[in-house]
């Protein structure tokens, strides 16, 4: 059955270490996204990719990096440069990168809660 | 600069009654709006959308109303059920990007 997988569900890291969050989708979607959610806040866009081998910064890209070598995979690396990395990270995908007037419904994975100690 | 505002962080409603969740926006360029529902420690799930050229969209118990002149939309849930208890995000959309409000936590009391 199709969907978006994020692993692990909980992740703990020491301060100063880089960590990579996994996101895989088998929905054959072209576009993928990474969001961050903090308590009492909405989702904020970190990076997005509309097609393989291409990605763009979102609103809060500093301290993060991504790659899109395969259509089904969009890993996010939280680097030591990210000042407040502890958060709930959500990956999403959509059939296309969106076009004016077309509903770009995004499908979300279950999320990874990252805690930096 | 908050482009999508949900001014009520929480709302409690009795089972069977109507739930009304409100949302205001400032960006006139949004093509359409979506509502997402989220349970704790899970990803959001899409609920209903409305094009910026419409003023109402209905899907079962869920209806979204859009007032463009007031830059206001609302989600009505009738009748409310305990399983509707979740955080609801109002989302503005233009091409690729979704802009989320901070969410309203709905509690439906049996």
């Amino acid at each position: 059955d199709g969907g978006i997988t994020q692993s692990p569900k909980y992740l703990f890291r020491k301060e100063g270490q880089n960590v990579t969050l996994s996101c895989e989708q088998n929905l054959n979607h072209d576009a993928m996204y990474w969001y961050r959610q903090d308590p009492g806040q909405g989702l904020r866009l970190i990076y997005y990719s509309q097609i393989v081998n291409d990605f763009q910064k979102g609103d809060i890209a500093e301290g993060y990096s991504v790659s899109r070598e395969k259509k089904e995979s969009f890993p996010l690396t939280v680097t030591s440069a990210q000042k407040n990395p502890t958060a709930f990270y959500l990956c999403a995908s959509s059939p296309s990168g969106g076009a004016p007037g077309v509903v770009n419904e995004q499908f979300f994975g279950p999320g990874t809660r990252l805690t930096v100690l | 600069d908050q482009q999508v505002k949900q001014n009520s962080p929480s709302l409690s409603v009795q089972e069977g009654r109507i739930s009304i969740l409100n949302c205001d926006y400032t960006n006139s360029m949004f093509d359409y709006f979506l509502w997402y529902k989220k349970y704790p420690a899970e990803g959001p799930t899409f609920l209903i959308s409305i094009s910026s050229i419409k003023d109402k969209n209905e899907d079962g118990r869920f209806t979204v109303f859009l007032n463009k002149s007031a830059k206001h939309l609302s989600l009505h849930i009738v009748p409310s059920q305990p399983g509707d208890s979740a955080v609801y995000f109002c989302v503005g959309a233009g091409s690729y990007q979704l802009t989320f409000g901070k969410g309203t936590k709905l509690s439906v009391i049996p």
Side-chain angles (χ1 to χ4, degrees):
Chain A
D1 64 308
I4 302 176
T5 305
Q6 289 186 247
S7 60
K9 194 161 180 67
Y10 299 96
L11 191 55
F12 297 88
R13 279 295 181 270
K14 290 184 179 178
E15 195 172 340
Q17 287 182 333
N18 291 358
V19 60
T20 297
L21 281 60
S22 143
C23 177
E24 305 277 330
Q25 54 99 0
N26 60 5
L27 301 166
N28 199 33
H29 286 172
D30 283 326
M32 296 187 74
Y33 312 81
W34 273 105
Y35 293 88
R36 164 184 176 139
Q37 186 188 19
D38 294 285
Q41 301 292 319
L43 279 64
R44 292 183 291 168
L45 183 65
I46 303 172
Y47 266 98
Y48 68 99
S49 167
Q50 293 178 282
I51 200 165
V52 175
N53 292 323
D54 185 53
F55 49 83
Q56 282 80 39
K57 293 181 180 179
D59 299 322
I60 54 166
E62 185 175 349
Y64 299 98
S65 66
V66 293
S67 63
R68 186 87 188 275
E69 296 175 3
K70 298 187 295 182
K71 186 175 186 177
E72 57 271 21
S73 179
F74 191 40
L76 173 76
T77 297
V78 185
T79 75
S80 56
Q82 167 48 235
K83 292 180 181 155
N84 296 298
T86 295
F88 187 52
Y89 290 88
L90 286 156
C91 178
S93 70
S94 63
S96 69
V102 177
V103 178
N104 183 28
E105 181 188 337
Q106 294 181 14
F107 297 80
F108 285 82
T112 292
R113 181 162 299 281
L114 172 66
T115 302
V116 175
L117 306 170
Chain B
D1 172 30
Q2 214 178 325
Q3 297 184 47
V4 178
K5 299 178 188 176
Q6 294 177 259
N7 292 320
S8 298
S10 62
L11 175 68
S12 289
V13 171
Q14 287 283 351
E15 181 179 3
R17 299 291 194 106
I18 184 170
S19 295
I20 300 177
L21 293 87
N22 292 304
C23 177
D24 298 295
Y25 63 95
T26 58
N27 187 345
S28 300
M29 302 302 291
F30 288 136
D31 286 331
Y32 53 94
F33 300 88
L34 308 94
W35 285 91
Y36 275 82
K37 175 180 178 179
K38 184 180 182 301
Y39 294 115
E42 292 185 11
T45 54
F46 170 75
L47 198 56
I48 191 169
S49 66
I50 186 167
S51 165
S52 61
I53 62 173
K54 301 267 177 97
D55 54 19
K56 179 182 175 181
N57 188 27
E58 192 172 351
D59 184 2
R61 297 186 297 115
F62 303 92
T63 303
V64 57
F65 296 93
L66 174 61
N67 182 334
K68 280 192 75 174
S69 60
K71 294 185 179 173
H72 177 85
L73 62 156
S74 60
L75 174 68
H76 293 210
I77 306 174
V78 177
S80 301
Q81 299 173 353
D84 295 330
S85 297
V87 175
Y88 289 79
F89 289 102
C90 175
V91 183
S95 62
Y96 67 89
Q97 187 157 351
L98 302 185
T99 302
F100 284 75
K102 292 187 177 183
T104 296
K105 183 177 181 180
L106 174 65
S107 300
V108 180
I109 304 162

